[in-house]
Amino acid sequence: MSCTILYPLLLLLFSCACMSEVQQEEKAVQAESLNVEQKSAVLTPGECQQHFFTAIISELTELKSTVNSLKNKLEDNEKQLKNTEEQLEQLRRNDYKVAFAATLGNIGNFGPFNTDITLVYNKVFVNEGGAYNPTTGIFTAPVKGVYFFSISGRHNSNRLMSLSLSKNGQPMVYVINHPLGDRYESTANSFSLTLEKGDQVYVSLIGTSWIFNNENDLTSFAGHLLFFL
């Protein structure tokens, strides 16, 4: 037989042998895999019971965690609701009554100074709600709302009088009276401000100016809450 015929026959026989060997290995692997699956699928009653209890415990643990989370959220909501109810009750009873009026007292001429100073109106006529501090001269808003303020000043007009009404350190309005001669004069201003809870309002005497007050109480600082926001 010639080599031309023999070579293709040998190649065909070799290919058939390789395919047969591969198929046998695949069958062996499938049989082994099936055997493992069958072994794992076959559980004793005790093993089944253990798997069942393990699954139940896992589900209960997850359910307990969910219940605790919902409980915490419910407690937070109850606290917020209680705070809201208390605030509504305070509004209903109008607990936030805010009004004050005070003067500098019988101090005579006061100033001038080299820098701005906060005026302390220590003669208090009314301080409903206690928002005005007669020791510092500062009014602190107890609630968010719109407030009305007025300031007045008297001085001997041979020197400048200059006052500023400030909110949190920022001047809002001024009361100014320029020198006009050797006589006493009075001037005033008023203003409404929107304040957040904790905002501070006070009157400053501008440096190099002066102010006057006596038993007639013509230099004053007053304010009250108009309405809540």
Side-chain angles (χ1 to χ4, degrees):
M1 185 178 294
S2 65
C3 292
T4 305
I5 299 174
L6 182 60
Y7 179 75
L9 289 175
L10 290 174
L11 183 61
L12 178 62
L13 289 173
F14 179 75
S15 299
C16 290
C18 290
M19 290 179 62
S20 176
E21 184 177 352
V22 169
Q23 289 175 351
Q24 289 178 358
E25 289 181 357
E26 289 179 350
K27 289 181 180 180
V29 170
Q30 291 175 355
E32 184 178 356
S33 176
L34 180 62
N35 187 36
V36 170
E37 291 178 356
Q38 289 176 346
K39 287 182 179 180
S40 62
V42 178
L43 299 175
T44 65
E47 290 174 334
C48 287
Q49 188 178 33
Q50 182 63 35
H51 279 283
F52 176 76
F53 284 133
T54 300
I56 291 295
I57 292 173
S58 177
E59 291 292 334
L60 289 176
T61 301
E62 184 177 352
L63 180 60
K64 182 179 179 181
S65 176
T66 302
V67 169
N68 288 335
S69 177
L70 292 174
K71 182 180 178 182
N72 292 334
K73 291 181 179 179
L74 180 60
E75 290 177 350
D76 291 339
N77 290 336
E78 288 178 347
K79 291 179 181 178
Q80 293 177 2
L81 179 60
K82 184 178 179 181
N83 290 336
T84 301
E85 289 176 345
E86 290 177 352
Q87 292 176 358
L88 289 174
E89 180 63 19
Q90 287 178 335
L91 292 175
R92 187 185 68 81
R93 292 186 286 111
N94 196 22
D95 280 355
Y96 289 124
K97 296 178 181 178
V98 183
F100 75 97
T103 70
L104 291 178
N106 191 5
I107 62 171
N109 290 316
F110 186 70
F113 301 96
N114 294 328
T115 186
D116 299 353
I117 66 166
T118 300
L119 290 177
V120 179
Y121 298 82
N122 52 23
K123 185 178 179 180
V124 178
F125 290 81
V126 61
N127 193 14
E128 189 68 36
Y132 174 72
N133 188 333
T135 302
T136 63
I138 297 174
F139 171 85
T140 303
V143 292
K144 181 180 180 179
V146 176
Y147 294 78
F148 178 82
F149 297 96
S150 65
I151 55 176
S152 65
R154 186 170 177 81
H155 75 126
N156 188 316
S157 61
N158 60 12
R159 184 183 293 273
L160 172 72
M161 181 191 72
S162 181
L163 306 175
S164 68
L165 177 70
S166 297
K167 168 187 171 182
N168 297 331
Q170 181 67 38
M172 297 285 104
V173 294
Y174 289 87
V175 171
I176 298 176
N177 200 21
H178 296 282
L180 295 173
D182 190 12
R183 64 176 185 264
Y184 284 94
E185 295 187 356
S186 297
T187 187
N189 202 350
S190 59
F191 205 62
S192 293
L193 292 174
T194 298
L195 302 180
E196 298 287 339
K197 181 179 179 180
D199 282 350
Q200 295 185 330
V201 177
Y202 53 89
V203 179
S204 295
L205 178 68
I206 305 302
T208 71
S209 69
W210 70 347
I211 200 166
F212 172 84
N213 196 59
N214 58 16
E215 67 276 5
N216 294 321
D217 295 316
L218 298 173
T219 300
S220 63
F221 178 33
H224 61 270
L225 173 66
L226 293 176
F227 52 85
F228 299 97
L229 292 177

